[in-house]
Each structure stands twice: as C-alpha cells, then as structure tokens.
Amino acid sequence: MSLALCAITFAVLLHVLAARIASRENYGRRLPIVNGSYPVRPAQRARRAQAAGWILSIVGALQLGNHFWLTEPWLAMGLMVAVLLLVNGLPSLLVTVLHNGSLRTQQ
C-alpha cells in the first residue's frame, strides 16, 4: 500500500512539473483546457516528466487495486479508474486553469 501511495504522489508531482513547464513555455498564450494543441510545443523534458507520471500512476493504481482485489474486486476496479483519472487529469487541468486565469487578469 505504501508503494502505491508513493508512486501516486510522485506521479502527481511529475504531472504538475510537466504542466508548469508547458505553461512557462506558453507565457502570454492561452492553453487548451481539455484537448487541442499547445501554441508552443512543450519541451522534451515536459514530455518525459509526463510520461514518467503516467507510468507511475499506472503502477500506483495497479498496486492499489491489487490491495483490494481479493476482497472487493469492484471497489478495486473503481479505485484504479478514479486514481488514473484524478492523477493524470486533475494536475494539468488545475495548472492550465490558473495559467489561463492569470492571462485574463493581465489584459
């Protein structure tokens, strides 16, 4: 269980790092909220951090699901899906909303 929590924590940190790098490179430009291309393509290190975040989130979700699998398989599957959605989507969404919101206040 501690391995799952550590992997999930590092995955969130890596996703936040990748989103911050992308927002810094696109300073003064609006970022797409859900899907679309960035005005300036993110650097290689941002893509590496995001890929490592995805891998760690999958490891963490599988470890967390494995903990509950024998007693509550439906709970395990629900937790795995929820962890993947929250860890891989929420950090980037928050950084993007903050970035786009600061653009609105500057104009």
Side-chain angles (χ1 to χ4, degrees), residues 29-103:
R29 299 178 182 94
R30 289 189 57 79
L31 298 177
I33 297 290
V34 178
N35 62 359
S37 61
Y38 287 101
V40 175
R41 186 174 171 203
Q44 185 74 24
R45 63 186 175 151
R47 291 190 304 244
R48 281 189 205 131
Q50 201 167 30
W54 269 96
I55 291 168
L56 283 174
S57 70
I58 291 170
V59 168
L62 288 174
Q63 289 293 323
L64 189 64
N66 188 35
H67 184 72
F68 293 104
W69 185 255
L70 293 177
T71 56
E72 295 287 334
W74 287 104
L75 174 67
M77 286 189 284
L79 279 174
M80 290 179 353
V81 169
V83 164
L84 288 174
L85 287 175
L86 290 174
V87 169
N88 295 319
L90 194 59
S92 299
L93 180 66
L94 289 175
V95 171
T96 300
V97 167
L98 290 173
H99 173 82
N100 289 344
S102 68
L103 288 178

